[in-house]
Amino acid sequence: MWPDRRLIDRFKTEFPIVLAPMAGVMDAELVIAVAQGGGLGSLPCAMLSAEKAREQVNIIRQRVSAPVNLNFFCHKAVDADPAREANWRLRLAPYYREHGLDPNAPINAANRAPFDAAFCAVVEELKPEVVSFHFGLPEANLLQRVKATGATVMSSATTVKEAIWLEENGADVIIAQGADAGGHRGMFLTDNIAEQPGTFSLLPQVVDAVKVPVVAAGGIADGRGIAAAFALGASGVQVGSAYLRCPESKVTAQARVALAQASDESTVITNVMTGRPARGVANRVMREVGPISPDAPAFPHAATALGPLKAAAEKQGKVDFTNLWAGQAVRMGKEMPAAELTRALAGAALARMAALSQA
């Protein structure tokens, strides 16, 4: 029934639907629910310790006998620049004063750790069926160790050039992440966000350029989007924003309201929140300081000074400094259980493809 079964056969899932790993707003509960619905559940590990990742996977394994994808960042870690950090705090000082906070008080550093030997040991121990990366691939020796576990390796490409590089350097599956996708851009061979193509421009060009299966990501939130992705050569889709308002997500109450009220014009690509380009629903600081600011420290250090402001504003029921990562199809999200949503997405996609085949 699916025109391309390579991902279904490789992942051993019912449907070729991958839950996008969304760090900070989900945990094992959403992974389990999507797996129960027939999709591939993804656990974002970029903000977890190795111990916490192990704990989460154990919870998943106890609840479902389904494949799981562990997702990691593999950016090159950059030390904080004291001068730039000080300038950033100065830029944010008015907000600190507004909330009665001391801009010079010590703050815990933002945690976005790249894949390393400790995480690799966790992968070797837990043997997830799939391991996915963002911002390229890890060092060759670590990648070899991951592949030696038998895991399928996926990584995101935001351009054809990145897709070719990923295939040449060992990726088994490529995620074609269009500019309309929510969350951090997976860019690693370019830093020019002005040149990033949208999903349905990028996807067929990536499919033509590589031999491995391609997963479409960005702007896909219903059966029509899934059918369109398959029509353009995708072997599967990665869906994130559509799941944000499911009861199993960890999105806060005030963030749920902001997401429910979002429109097709609500999201922007910004570097203000973390120091690296990412798409989300515009909040106060993104509008007033960015969305792109040369003052933002390098990833992930821009997030450090925003931490106290986020906490203070959320206590007042505001999302002025909260990451609301979401793609351009955010308004299409549904408030329904994730397993039910996964089955609904698959059913609608199959019905759409069947209708088109008979047209």
Side-chain angles (χ1 to χ4, degrees):
M1 295 170 69
W2 294 97
D4 186 328
R5 293 189 53 88
R6 285 184 293 170
L7 275 192
I8 294 175
D9 293 341
R10 181 183 277 270
F11 292 160
K12 305 293 192 291
T13 55
E14 185 177 357
F15 306 126
I17 297 173
V18 180
L19 168 66
M22 299 177 286
V25 294
M26 60 164 290
D27 62 8
E29 290 302 313
L30 189 55
V31 178
I32 291 164
V34 170
Q36 289 172 335
L40 176 65
S42 305
L43 181 70
C45 298
M47 295 174 66
L48 303 182
S49 65
E51 294 73 22
K52 187 68 175 178
R54 183 181 292 110
E55 172 192 296
Q56 290 283 292
V57 173
N58 286 335
I59 291 171
I60 295 165
R61 295 297 198 202
Q62 289 167 12
R63 295 269 301 278
V64 289
S65 57
V68 64
N69 167 34
L70 297 192
N71 175 260
F72 301 94
F73 286 175
C74 52
H75 58 287
K76 300 231 176 355
V78 177
D79 291 334
D81 180 335
R84 200 166 179 186
E85 291 273 325
N87 185 59
W88 186 231
R89 288 206 192 193
L90 186 64
R91 179 68 181 83
L92 299 175
Y95 299 116
Y96 272 77
R97 289 193 293 270
E98 178 185 327
H99 288 84
L101 301 171
D102 178 6
N104 298 310
I107 308 172
N108 291 330
N111 174 32
R112 306 286 197 287
F115 189 73
D116 58 12
F119 271 131
C120 194
V122 171
V123 169
E124 290 171 323
E125 172 192 343
L126 300 175
K127 293 182 170 53
E129 289 76 10
V130 185
V131 177
S132 62
F133 296 102
H134 215 48
F135 313 132
L137 291 168
E139 297 174 9
N141 66 315
L142 294 178
L143 183 62
Q144 289 171 1
R145 288 170 58 186
V146 169
K147 299 196 78 163
T149 69
T152 293
V153 170
M154 299 197 295
S155 188
S156 300
T158 67
T159 64
V160 171
K161 186 182 295 185
E162 288 179 344
I164 293 170
W165 186 95
L166 290 172
E167 182 178 47
E168 290 175 344
N169 285 273
D172 301 307
V173 176
I174 290 166
I175 301 165
Q177 187 197 31
D180 30 0
H184 283 97
R185 308 296 304 138
M187 323 157 59
F188 61 94
L189 294 182
T190 178
D191 58 7
N192 189 344
I193 60 172
E195 295 177 353
Q196 295 275 282
T199 302
F200 293 119
S201 295
L202 175 65
L203 173 61
Q205 296 182 73
V206 169
V207 169
D208 288 349
V210 300
K211 295 182 176 63
V212 299
V214 178
V215 173
I220 300 170
D222 68 0
R224 292 170 296 179
I226 296 172
F230 272 85
L232 293 173
S235 300
V237 296
Q238 181 167 278
V239 179
S241 301
Y243 287 102
L244 286 172
R245 290 160 57 208
C246 291
E248 297 89 352
S249 87
K250 303 304 176 187
V251 174
T252 63
Q254 55 265 44
R256 285 177 186 270
V257 172
L259 291 168
Q261 294 175 344
S263 73
D264 60 316
E265 301 172 321
S266 295
T267 69
V268 297
I269 293 178
T270 182
N271 70 338
V272 168
M273 303 305 296
T274 66
R276 195 170 183 125
R279 181 177 290 283
V281 175
N283 59 22
R284 180 184 174 191
V285 72
M286 287 160 61
R287 287 190 295 266
E288 296 178 359
V289 177
I292 299 296
S293 172
D295 297 330
F299 180 85
H301 305 296
T304 298
L306 288 168
L309 294 169
K310 175 179 182 289
E314 287 183 349
K315 285 181 181 177
Q316 300 175 7
K318 299 177 180 178
V319 292
D320 293 351
F321 307 95
T322 300
N323 294 343
L324 298 171
W325 298 146
Q328 289 182 320
V330 59
R331 70 182 299 170
M332 298 169 70
K334 299 287 193 299
E335 293 183 23
M336 61 192 296
E340 184 180 331
L341 175 57
T342 304
R343 288 190 289 268
L345 289 170
L350 289 170
R352 175 68 59 162
M353 286 187 281
L356 289 171
S357 70
Q358 296 167 7

